[in-house]
Amino acid sequence: MTLSSTKLTNGRVLLKNEFMWKKGPQVFFKDAFAITHSANVVRYDNTINFRYIFRDIHGSDRYYTGSNEKNNNGVATLFDIKGEPGYSHTGYLSVEANRSSSSDIRSNIFGHYTHMTIGFTGSVTITTGDISLGLAAKESKADDASITHEW
């Protein structure tokens, strides 16, 4: 997983979290992928972009989207991991953001990935620095990524 912040020409910052499975998943339920942040970050929710890319056995890339959930702490996407034969499970979540006040100097940004191994979920809980799929799910979380963005 790779988390980045890039200053854009429009004065905003692009927050981007990317993932790549090193080997294919063995269990195929809904996964959650997220970016969470400090309270002094203002997101532009119309710029949320998520893409899950899966290469099938014929070498063709297949693109999938997910359902976005958001609150004041961040944005997450729930998506179905594909269990058909193939490889190269990758994806990204991005959103444009800015600081809430010109006096803000820095913000903490976190990237998250959780893979459900047992259970079911219809939503994801988003808190600054963490996400979870709920009590009905057993999940395997990737190590969180974090950066401090200097405004």
Side-chain angles (χ1 to χ4, degrees), residues 118-132:
I118 297 174
F120 64 93
T121 188
S123 64
V124 60
T125 302
I126 305 168
T127 57
T128 299
D130 194 23
I131 60 170
S132 67

Side-chain angles (χ1 to χ4, degrees), residues 6 8 14 17 20 28 33 38 43-44 50-51 74 90 110 113 122 124-125 127 139 145:
T6 306
L8 302 173
L14 180 68
N17 195 12
M20 179 180 68
F28 306 97
F33 194 56
S38 304
R43 279 189 332 269
Y44 297 92
F50 171 80
R51 187 68 58 117
T90 63
F110 304 93
Y113 189 111
V124 60
T125 302
T127 57
E139 51 193 302

Side-chain angles (χ1 to χ4, degrees), residues 98-110:
N98 211 334
R99 58 186 171 179
S100 59
S101 165
S102 60
S103 62
D104 292 330
I105 299 169
R106 64 186 59 87
S107 300
N108 295 318
I109 313 296
F110 304 93

Side-chain angles (χ1 to χ4, degrees), residues 16-27:
K16 188 173 186 180
N17 195 12
E18 301 173 85
F19 71 88
M20 179 180 68
W21 279 77
K22 291 183 179 181
K23 58 183 181 177
Q26 301 299 309
V27 180

Side-chain angles (χ1 to χ4, degrees), residues 38-125:
S38 304
N40 65 346
V41 172
V42 175
R43 279 189 332 269
Y44 297 92
D45 289 342
N46 63 328
T47 66
I48 295 171
N49 192 11
F50 171 80
R51 187 68 58 117
Y52 166 45
I53 303 128
F54 168 76
R55 182 163 291 156
D56 65 23
I57 59 173
H58 304 291
S60 299
D61 286 341
R62 295 168 55 192
Y63 300 91
Y64 300 93
T65 59
S67 60
N68 295 324
E69 298 193 25
K70 53 194 176 287
N71 64 22
N72 292 337
N73 302 311
V75 59
T77 297
L78 283 170
F79 65 101
D80 291 319
I81 283 287
K82 299 303 174 186
E84 55 208 70
Y87 55 96
S88 190
H89 296 265
T90 63
Y92 66 88
L93 173 64
S94 66
V95 64
E96 292 182 21
N98 211 334
R99 58 186 171 179
S100 59
S101 165
S102 60
S103 62
D104 292 330
I105 299 169
R106 64 186 59 87
S107 300
N108 295 318
I109 313 296
F110 304 93
H112 314 279
Y113 189 111
T114 186
H115 174 64
M116 187 171 17
T117 57
I118 297 174
F120 64 93
T121 188
S123 64
V124 60
T125 302

